[in-house]
Amino acid sequence: MQTARAVPASTVVNLRDLGGIALGRHRRLRQGILLRSGQLSDFEEHDMAVAALGLRTVVDLRTADERRWAPDRLPAGARLFVADVLGDDPGVTPARLKALLDDPDGAARVLGGGRAEDLFAQTYRRMVLSPGAAAAYRAFLDTVADPRARPLLFHCATGKDRTGWATTLLLMMAGASREVVRAEFLAVNRAVRAAFGPAVRRFLDDGGDPDIAYAVIEARPRYLEAALDAMDERWGGLDGYLSKALRLPPAVADRLRADLSVAV
């Protein structure tokens, strides 16, 4: 199944071009206009794979603390737009990923005994149900819908959780099946495992629980299902979520659907 194309950047983790993903019968997502990644704190101007993208906008989905600890370094010509998904609950686990891996004892207290996967699934529900998260994703979609903002790169810390839900919304709005959405959600795992390999090894060497480590760094089917279930239960599916939770004007949704896909 077609998933996003990995872009071989040397200084940006988990960079993927969503172009080419199947959007139903005879349509695919346009190439070169929407990209996802981890944070850009290590970006260097000599990274030609990024420079060649011609980015106009970078959307940062991280919290204020994350942005302060690891500020983005923007490619030439790109502007920064902040859409803080977890700003009203900054203690949740995706925003604390690095800190958790640096503290095996603290991670055991917070996430031990099988709680790691449960807490991450709960966080995915909050990303759908929280008014603050809804405001951030509404602002994100408004920005994506502006043709002048594209090519656009959106990211969180690792490019798998907050970025994963943003990607899910775009794909479903453009007409992708949930099977395609799930494939793309899980396809980031190879890049994320590679990026966090050294941190995980240190965590394990210091006595950390491997169940915690992998629940924290992986995109898992249960996480996406928690978000989709929350959307279906509260709003009856995507259309209700867009109109009632995000309050996205129908004209913006229609423009996105028209702009993002191309016939093949």
Side-chain angles (χ1 to χ4, degrees):
M1 184 176 297
Q2 178 70 46
T3 56
R5 177 181 65 87
V7 178
S10 59
T11 63
V12 178
V13 172
N14 198 16
L15 179 58
R16 300 167 65 79
D17 182 348
L18 299 184
I21 294 178
L23 302 173
R25 189 174 181 83
H26 304 312
R27 300 197 71 80
R28 294 188 181 277
L29 204 72
R30 291 183 186 274
Q31 292 186 328
I33 63 168
L34 290 177
L35 299 103
R36 59 180 294 183
S37 74
Q39 64 195 32
L40 273 63
S41 55
D42 293 328
F43 168 69
E44 297 286 352
E45 291 184 0
H46 62 74
D47 194 337
M48 291 297 102
V50 178
L53 299 172
L55 294 173
R56 293 181 180 176
T57 307
V58 172
V59 179
D60 191 340
L61 304 173
R62 297 177 300 164
T63 65
D65 282 345
E66 289 174 291
R67 299 193 304 273
R68 184 169 59 252
W69 296 331
D72 276 350
R73 305 178 67 176
L74 298 180
R79 71 180 181 99
L80 179 66
F81 183 86
V82 173
D84 183 349
V85 173
L86 300 176
D88 58 353
D89 193 1
V92 296
T93 43
R96 298 176 57 204
L97 194 152
K98 185 178 184 300
L100 289 167
L101 290 178
D102 286 341
D103 181 9
D105 291 337
R109 287 193 297 273
V110 175
L111 302 175
R115 285 174 291 172
E117 189 170 287
D118 290 343
L119 286 174
F120 259 81
Q122 291 171 21
T123 295
Y124 271 75
R125 288 186 63 86
R126 283 198 294 273
M127 286 197 295
V128 174
L129 300 175
S130 157
Y137 283 119
R138 159 68 190 274
F140 165 69
L141 292 178
D142 281 337
T143 304
V144 174
D146 183 354
R148 298 167 298 179
R150 305 189 294 252
L152 179 148
L153 168 68
F154 58 101
H155 75 86
C156 51
T158 62
K160 71 180 180 73
D161 298 309
R162 289 160 286 185
T163 299
W165 182 243
T167 302
T168 294
L169 290 179
L170 290 172
L171 292 179
M172 289 196 301
M173 289 180 69
S177 68
R178 292 202 177 185
E179 182 182 13
V180 168
V181 165
R182 291 184 184 98
E184 172 59 23
F185 179 78
L186 297 173
V188 302
N189 275 327
R190 177 179 294 182
V192 173
R193 289 181 191 125
F196 279 91
V200 170
R201 285 192 291 272
R202 288 193 300 271
F203 179 84
L204 299 179
D205 288 344
D206 290 341
D209 183 343
D211 288 342
I212 292 176
Y214 292 110
V216 162
I217 69 163
E218 290 179 347
R220 293 188 168 180
R222 181 183 173 189
Y223 302 158
L224 179 60
E225 292 305 319
L228 292 172
D229 287 349
M231 181 179 71
D232 292 343
E233 291 162 7
R234 179 69 62 87
W235 292 289
L238 177 66
D239 289 343
Y241 174 72
L242 294 176
S243 64
K244 297 174 184 176
L246 272 56
R247 301 183 185 277
L248 190 72
V252 175
D254 291 342
R255 185 164 68 249
L256 267 171
R257 292 184 176 102
D259 285 357
L260 299 187
S261 66
V262 61
V264 292

